[in-house]
Amino acid sequence: MSLPAVVPAPVSIETGSGAPFRLTSATTVTGETDAAAALSAIVGARTALALADGDGDGDGIELRIDTGTGGPESYRIVADEASVSVTGADAAGLFYGVQTLSQIIARDEQGWTVPAVTIDDSPRFAYRGVMLDVARHFHPVETVKGYIDRAASLKLNALHLHLTDDQGWRIHLDSRPELTEKASATSVGGDLGGFYTKADFREIVEYAASRHMIVVPEIDMPGHTHAVGLAYPELAEDPTLSDHMREIIRDYGGEEPRAGSPYDGMAVGFSSLKIHDEATYDFVADVFGELAAMTPGPYLHFGGDESLSTTDEDFAVFVARASAIIADLGKTPVAWHEAGAAADVADTTVGQYWGFLTPQEGAAEKATAFIDNGAQLILSPADAIYLDMKYPSGPELGLTWANGPTSVERAYSWEPSDVVPGVDDAGILGVEAPLWTETIRTSADIDTMAFPRAAAAAEAAWSPATGASELRTWASFRERVGALGPLWTSMGIGFHPSDEIPWATE
Ligand code: TNX
């Protein structure tokens, strides 16, 4: 019998020889209530069966936490004809065990089953993320919650929110209320904007926590700050226009950026905060101070990408100050890899590598600087797991600059320890798949771009290294991910039915 399909691939999975466990209207669940609720919701959506509360007499499904059974986030599933037990080493591990259990539910002639199986599983990397750009197009709280559910089902544990960019500022801050009053109304292409109130943000953070995810808020600086100038003109330089930007404007349409007017085009690199003005650092301190108080997770991201109209010297000055402000707040700064060029970036700063699978133009050197400081990298190789890249065939959404279009096979077929030369697992905090939203307007757009490619990123983040498991091949992944089609449909995920994948219909 072939192995039950689990994505991301588990550390170990062995099928038993016995009959499967039968899920019926009499099946009971006992144990941890949060995990039982999560399981009941998925089983209900998938099978229309309602699990009853059990009496703990050993038949049915048992969900428990047993600290000491493994490392953080690990779990074990043992299923046979008589019972199913899921044991997490902690609450997150149990939650992930429930996700795996929901994936292996199958149907035979007599009804729903859980195959006889033993699974032992734990993550390769501690940080496993998705990023959603809510600046280029604003996405409401309900959409973000849906994305949290989807990502958590793939055992991802970090939601990075790209909260600000040239096109809009999306988080209300009491210390700087004009940001949302004056700079949040529009999105790319003349679409409506929006912003999160502090209550909205809290709701997102709490919802994420209930799915064992942290929220990593990003305020992109010192470039990508045209919106700041709408609210606080004294902090922003006038837009600069390079030939490159004129080219983008010609290719994608839209107006040239003008100081004091909202920008709704797709160009990057024309804006900068004033670097040699103390008022800028008062602003940075206010923004990150308030954000630190709102964010229980350890990370605050200050951007640092594509500051194309800031000189290298000024960029280095800014990065040193911004990262120090965040570190002094007791948080771990995160920045895109360009910030590694700044000699005085705070030592604890985590770098987010967004270069190609084969690093180009000094990207590897900049990324390696974070390791030399004693910190780590998050890997987001753009030509593999930028979820905003077009598919080879399918929806007309997305961009192509990162060696696109990007097939599911390319999103899958890479090994984290082979990306930045000299950086192995010890230097890698984790893997994150960003979704930039210049062309992405709705939750349906998000689903089609992210699925199935986010599952490929999740496997790079969670599963054993390529070569360390026979499941870590494209041939295995495409079969396993194809088997998830019916589950994803029952979860309401509008995945792209890529012709690279043999999708199961039931
Ligand atoms: C590059 S990747 C950007 C974003 C764009 C994205 C579009 C990175 C750190 N910056 O500003 O939205 O390309 O794919």
Side-chain angles (χ1 to χ4, degrees), residues 96 128-130 151-158 211-213 454 457-458 461:
Y96 297 140
R128 307 177 302 278
V130 280
S153 78
L154 296 170
K155 306 185 176 77
L156 299 174
N157 65 1
R211 271 74 178 159
H212 303 280
M213 291 183 96

Side-chain angles (χ1 to χ4, degrees), residues 136 224 268 305-306 336 354 386 388-389 399 401 436 438:
R136 272 51 176 276
H224 292 277
V268 297
D305 58 318
E306 300 174 317
W336 298 104
W354 62 279
Y386 262 32
D388 62 313
M389 290 299 122
L399 308 177
W401 69 264
W436 303 97
E438 286 90 339

Side-chain angles (χ1 to χ4, degrees), residues 93-452:
L94 180 57
F95 179 81
Y96 297 140
V98 164
Q99 304 309 316
T100 295
L101 177 56
S102 70
Q103 291 182 347
I104 64 177
I105 291 171
R107 209 212 285 259
D108 66 14
E109 307 75 50
Q110 294 157 59
W112 295 101
T113 65
V114 176
V117 77
T118 299
I119 298 174
D120 279 294
D121 202 8
S122 56
R124 178 178 178 190
F125 295 116
Y127 183 104
R128 307 177 302 278
V130 280
M131 187 211 82
L132 184 64
D133 169 10
V134 296
R136 272 51 176 276
H137 275 98
F138 180 68
H139 295 278
V141 172
E142 285 313 309
T143 300
V144 175
K145 285 183 173 176
Y147 204 41
I148 288 169
D149 280 330
R150 286 153 169 71
S153 78
L154 296 170
K155 306 185 176 77
L156 299 174
N157 65 1
L159 172 70
H160 168 185
L161 285 177
H162 184 75
L163 288 168
T164 68
D165 214 301
D166 292 311
Q167 295 84 351
W169 187 283
R170 309 299 184 197
I171 178 78
H172 179 82
L173 297 174
D174 293 335
S175 60
R176 298 283 175 159
E178 279 146 279
L179 290 164
T180 43
E181 280 161 21
K182 296 184 177 168
S184 68
T186 55
S187 287
V188 165
D191 289 324
L192 274 184
F195 66 89
Y196 305 124
T197 63
K198 294 185 82 158
D200 289 339
F201 189 76
R202 200 177 311 118
E203 194 177 330
I204 291 169
V205 165
E206 283 170 7
Y207 194 83
S210 74
R211 271 74 178 159
H212 303 280
M213 291 183 96
I214 56 164
V215 173
V216 180
E218 178 188 355
I219 305 292
D220 202 351
M221 299 174 168
H224 292 277
T225 44
H226 184 79
V228 175
L230 301 184
Y232 300 101
E234 66 278 12
L235 300 178
E237 301 286 0
D238 284 343
T240 56
L241 273 179
S242 65
D243 289 346
H244 168 67
M245 289 166 217
R246 290 204 177 83
E247 229 170 79
I248 292 177
I249 290 163
R250 202 185 51 230
D251 291 354
Y252 291 101
E255 303 285 312
E256 292 189 357
R258 276 192 304 117
S261 298
Y263 179 66
D264 71 359
M266 292 172 41
V268 297
F270 56 81
S271 55
S272 181
L273 294 178
K274 290 197 173 150
I275 305 298
H276 298 286
D277 190 335
E278 275 311 299
T280 293
Y281 302 99
D282 294 341
F283 175 79
V284 174
D286 282 352
V287 166
F288 284 114
E290 201 168 337
L291 216 47
M294 294 157 64
T295 305
Y299 304 111
L300 294 181
H301 200 309
F302 67 96
D305 58 318
E306 300 174 317
S307 294
L308 306 178
S309 57
T310 316
T311 66
D312 290 352
E313 295 72 29
D314 282 2
F315 180 71
V317 168
F318 182 87
V319 164
R321 299 230 16 210
S323 60
I325 287 169
I326 293 170
D328 287 348
L329 288 163
K331 295 291 186 182
T332 302
V334 187
W336 298 104
H337 70 247
E338 287 99 313
D344 294 327
V345 63
D347 281 346
T348 53
T349 306
V350 171
Q352 185 164 8
Y353 175 81
W354 62 279
F356 285 9
L357 289 169
T358 302
Q360 302 181 318
E361 297 160 27
E365 291 69 27
K366 290 171 191 163
T368 307
F370 297 95
I371 309 286
D372 294 343
N373 290 338
Q376 288 178 299
L377 289 179
I378 295 167
L379 298 178
S380 302
D383 51 348
I385 57 168
Y386 262 32
L387 303 176
D388 62 313
M389 290 299 122
K390 266 200 175 74
Y391 286 102
S393 66
E396 274 311 299
L397 298 167
L399 308 177
T400 54
W401 69 264
N403 208 5
T406 300
S407 63
V408 183
E409 182 171 4
R410 177 130 55 80
Y412 183 79
S413 304
W414 62 286
E415 160 53 37
S417 62
D418 288 343
V419 177
V420 181
V423 178
D424 59 12
D425 284 33
I428 300 171
L429 181 62
V431 172
E432 179 181 294
L435 178 50
W436 303 97
T437 59
E438 286 90 339
T439 67
I440 309 302
R441 303 168 65 197
T442 65
S443 58
D445 292 350
I446 293 174
D447 273 5
T448 193
M449 297 308 275
F451 286 82

Side-chain angles (χ1 to χ4, degrees), residues 40 56 88 209 219 235 276 374 381 392 465 470 474 505:
S40 297
I219 305 292
L235 300 178
H276 298 286
E470 60 193 23
W474 164 243
T505 49

